[in-house]
Amino acid sequence: MTAIPRQYVHKTAQAEVLICGWQNNGDDSFLAPAQWPRSHSFYAPAHGLHDPMLFAESVRQAMPLVSHVGYGAPMDHRQIWDRFRCTLSPEALRHERLPADLEIHLTGADVVKRAGRLGGMALRATAVRGEQRMGVAETRFANQAPAIYRRLRGPRCDAARTMAGAVPLPAPIAPDQAGRIDPQDVVLAPGRADRHWQLRVDVTHPVLFDHPVDHIPGMLLLEAARQAAHSALHPRQTVMTSIDATFTRFVEFDAPCWIKAEPTAATTPGQESVRITARQGDDVPFTATVTSLAVKR
């Protein structure tokens, strides 16, 4: 196994690195051991379970790791989400006295190369904790060279300047409605109607904005979907068991982004699903379906 420097998972703080090893098994197959802390400053345990979003962040970290180490993408290339979906087993998320050690088995597919360099791919991740399968995720992302990214983003490539132009930070909804304790960790503000919110973009948040970026991070959008689903089902206490998200455009800093939730029929008995739509101007840059399981208080 090989220790993972924070740069390979696109993190500034080493403490935020969840993947702690790497093994290339050949034939587009890799193993990435990970460790989740007993407590995380943002993805904290609740209801006796680790936060399911730790799995999403682990897969997010695996994307650049596989790109750079597995397929040789230069370190200045960027990975851009197209699709992300995962399903989790709440039993395997149990919180214990020791950190959670897991193995993430990764398989690459539909690998696209341009001029001999990685252009995009699909990635399947299966997380195993001890003898239990914790979850499965599938994602598709593009890998873009700096010149292509600059043409795509234009003057927005200046991350510091772009973040400085973020819309003013609105007051959050009540933390318990979003499944949170600290108001700083709430990413939703009151909107124009029931089950409608403005996305709160706090560029000073130490986890969601670990480093400067030129657009709203995908993990912030996934967290907004999770909090919106929780709020739509409130006051019932729930834990997310799956999320199926599509990213179609960048969400920008300089215009409000509105989040809408619509409960839908779940396909699994005992669970509830909520359809999430993000709208910015005339665009719908992000949609997701979050499925949750009721938990006892």
Side-chain angles (χ1 to χ4, degrees):
M1 294 295 177
T2 304
I4 303 301
R6 65 187 187 277
Q7 294 87 350
Y8 281 94
V9 298
H10 295 188
K11 279 293 185 182
T12 299
Q14 189 68 43
E16 295 297 324
V17 178
L18 302 175
I19 296 177
C20 53
W22 170 260
Q23 181 175 301
N24 190 332
N25 295 330
D27 297 325
D28 300 301
S29 177
F30 314 95
L31 174 63
Q35 185 178 82
W36 294 353
R38 285 172 290 182
S39 184
H40 190 276
S41 62
F42 183 67
Y43 300 118
H47 311 296
L49 303 173
H50 281 284
D51 190 330
M53 291 295 285
L54 281 170
F55 183 43
E57 172 59 18
S58 298
V59 176
R60 202 283 310 156
Q61 293 187 15
M63 288 164 49
L65 180 63
V66 167
S67 299
H68 298 312
V69 181
Y71 293 95
M75 291 299 293
D76 59 356
H77 282 213
R78 299 179 183 240
Q79 293 74 49
I80 309 299
W81 248 331
D82 293 330
R83 184 80 184 272
F84 174 77
R85 59 184 177 186
C86 74
T87 303
L88 291 143
S89 168
E91 294 79 10
L93 290 171
R94 67 191 180 281
H95 184 258
E96 298 176 340
R97 294 180 60 188
L98 298 175
D101 291 307
L102 54 148
E103 293 184 341
I104 303 178
H105 299 267
L106 302 162
T107 304
D110 300 326
V111 178
V112 175
K113 291 195 174 182
R114 300 186 181 93
R117 293 280 177 85
L118 180 67
M121 62 179 294
L123 185 67
R124 180 179 174 87
T126 302
V128 178
R129 184 184 184 189
E131 300 298 320
Q132 284 186 296
R133 190 170 79 167
M134 175 183 285
V136 177
E138 295 177 345
T139 184
R140 175 97 205 164
F141 60 93
N143 181 77
Q144 295 174 331
I148 296 175
Y149 193 79
R150 284 193 296 271
R151 288 199 297 269
L152 179 68
R153 297 294 289 152
R156 294 185 188 274
C157 268
D158 186 333
R161 180 181 297 177
T162 302
M163 290 176 70
V167 298
L169 187 65
I173 63 173
D176 65 309
Q177 291 184 358
R180 286 289 175 176
I181 296 175
D182 189 339
Q184 182 189 23
D185 294 336
V186 177
V187 301
L188 302 176
R192 302 162 179 162
D194 188 34
R195 296 175 182 158
H196 186 268
W197 306 271
Q198 182 180 347
L199 181 67
R200 289 187 80 238
V201 183
D202 181 359
V203 297
T204 68
H205 196 284
V207 175
L208 293 172
F209 290 93
D210 167 80
H211 56 276
V213 289
D214 63 84
H215 60 274
I216 305 300
M219 284 302 298
L220 173 53
L221 295 173
L222 292 181
E223 178 63 23
R226 188 260 290 269
Q227 291 190 20
H230 189 283
S231 183
L233 299 174
H234 187 76
R236 285 166 289 177
Q237 297 296 300
T238 59
V239 60
M240 185 181 78
T241 56
S242 73
I243 185 168
D244 188 344
T246 300
F247 304 81
T248 55
R249 297 179 67 91
F250 293 105
V251 180
E252 309 294 356
F253 284 102
D254 57 1
C257 179
W258 302 97
I259 307 294
K260 182 180 179 181
E262 299 176 281
T264 63
T267 58
T268 304
Q271 301 195 18
E272 298 184 81
S273 291
V274 181
R275 176 71 171 171
I276 308 298
T277 304
R279 182 175 293 278
Q280 190 169 54
D282 295 328
D283 297 323
V284 178
F286 171 79
T287 58
T289 298
V290 177
T291 302
S292 302
L293 176 70
V295 295
K296 295 181 179 179
R297 291 181 181 269

